Amino acid sequence: MTSLNDSVAFIIVRHPFERLLSAYRDKLQNALPNSFHHKLGNIIISKYRRTKNSRSPRWPTFPEFVNYLLNEIHSHHELDMHWTPITNFCTPCQVRFNVIAKFETLDEDQKYIIEKANIGHVVAPQWKNSGKGAKTTVDLIDDFYNELSAEQVRNLYEFFKYDFELFGYSVREFIRSGTSTTKAPSSPKKSHSID
């Protein structure tokens, strides 16, 4: 029997703005009819859509979703886990993770975790990008974030600041993406050690 002390604790993180866009696309743009997120999308549209016409999408636009999210943050409402910062519900400061894997390097990171846990005889690396053939979130990220104002981007950064800092991500390219220019917040020079 293997003791808990011999186990490998790991977390998989992703660039906060990529994670947010991915959640938006999955949960709101592609919401199943009559699902919780489909109903939430209708609420967001009714509250944040300024003009409706035949060309308006049947789901909230990304700026509408961001307005909703920022308002929820400002009102201190509990957020859906898909757009809550990772540090709010799984903080490396409270859980002693052996490995922080990144979505961007998951192919090699999962091999490292399997090797470190000494379970290669039981588990094989299996991560696959399910979006092959279609445009991925990474392919579309500039398009979506260019729809936001610099103030929206700055406010999102402030909300996700600890995810950016603890996991070593940069916000600079997104600050430039906003529809109006602003000074980029200083990004961390290196990721913080959890040892």
Side-chain angles (χ1 to χ4, degrees):
M1 186 164 144
T2 305
S3 72
L4 190 60
N5 291 337
D6 293 334
S7 63
V8 175
F10 67 92
I11 184 173
I12 300 171
V13 299
R14 188 175 189 179
H15 191 291
F17 283 3
E18 278 185 28
R19 181 173 163 260
L20 181 65
L21 178 57
S22 179
Y24 160 78
R25 292 179 67 214
D26 183 52
K27 301 301 176 193
L28 293 173
Q29 263 194 336
N30 298 307
L32 295 172
N34 299 314
S35 66
F36 168 79
H37 288 105
H38 180 256
K39 292 173 184 172
L40 175 61
N42 288 336
I43 291 169
I44 293 170
I45 289 170
S46 67
K47 191 168 182 180
Y48 295 97
R49 184 156 295 166
R50 292 192 175 97
T51 57
K52 294 180 184 178
N53 59 50
S54 59
R55 299 173 101 169
S56 298
R58 64 182 189 280
W59 56 83
T61 64
F62 191 53
E64 290 166 349
F65 165 64
V66 169
N67 284 337
Y68 155 78
L69 178 59
L70 293 174
N71 188 53
E72 292 293 292
I73 293 164
H74 180 73
S75 301
H76 304 289
H77 292 157
E78 188 172 338
L79 300 176
D80 186 300
M81 70 173 291
H82 296 96
W83 35 84
T84 297
I86 291 173
T87 50
N88 282 14
F89 63 85
C90 200
T91 176
C93 299
Q94 293 177 346
V95 178
R96 191 160 180 83
F97 293 105
N98 303 103
V99 178
I100 296 179
K102 291 193 171 186
F103 183 84
E104 298 83 1
T105 55
L106 196 53
D107 189 42
E108 58 195 74
D109 290 351
Q110 69 175 325
K111 292 173 189 169
Y112 176 77
I113 293 167
I114 290 168
E115 182 182 313
K116 186 163 179 65
N118 198 24
I119 56 172
H121 60 289
V122 179
V123 178
Q126 294 188 13
W127 184 81
K128 292 176 187 162
N129 186 348
S130 60
K132 286 190 177 170
K135 284 197 170 184
T136 66
T137 297
V138 174
D139 295 331
L140 297 170
I141 202 156
D142 286 340
D143 295 338
F144 279 91
Y145 277 89
N146 277 331
E147 295 176 10
L148 302 181
S149 70
E151 182 180 6
Q152 286 175 307
V153 173
R154 190 170 50 248
N155 288 333
L156 285 175
Y157 169 77
E158 287 300 322
F159 180 60
F160 287 102
K161 185 175 183 176
Y162 294 120
D163 281 9
F164 275 97
E165 290 183 359
L166 283 175
F167 306 129
Y169 288 108
S170 172
V171 71
R172 291 193 183 280
E173 63 273 22
F174 294 94
I175 292 294
R176 285 188 228 112
S177 295
T179 54
S180 61
T181 58
T182 187
K183 186 177 179 221
S186 58
S187 60
K189 292 186 169 84
K190 64 177 188 174
S191 58
H192 295 219
S193 171
I194 57 172
D195 290 333

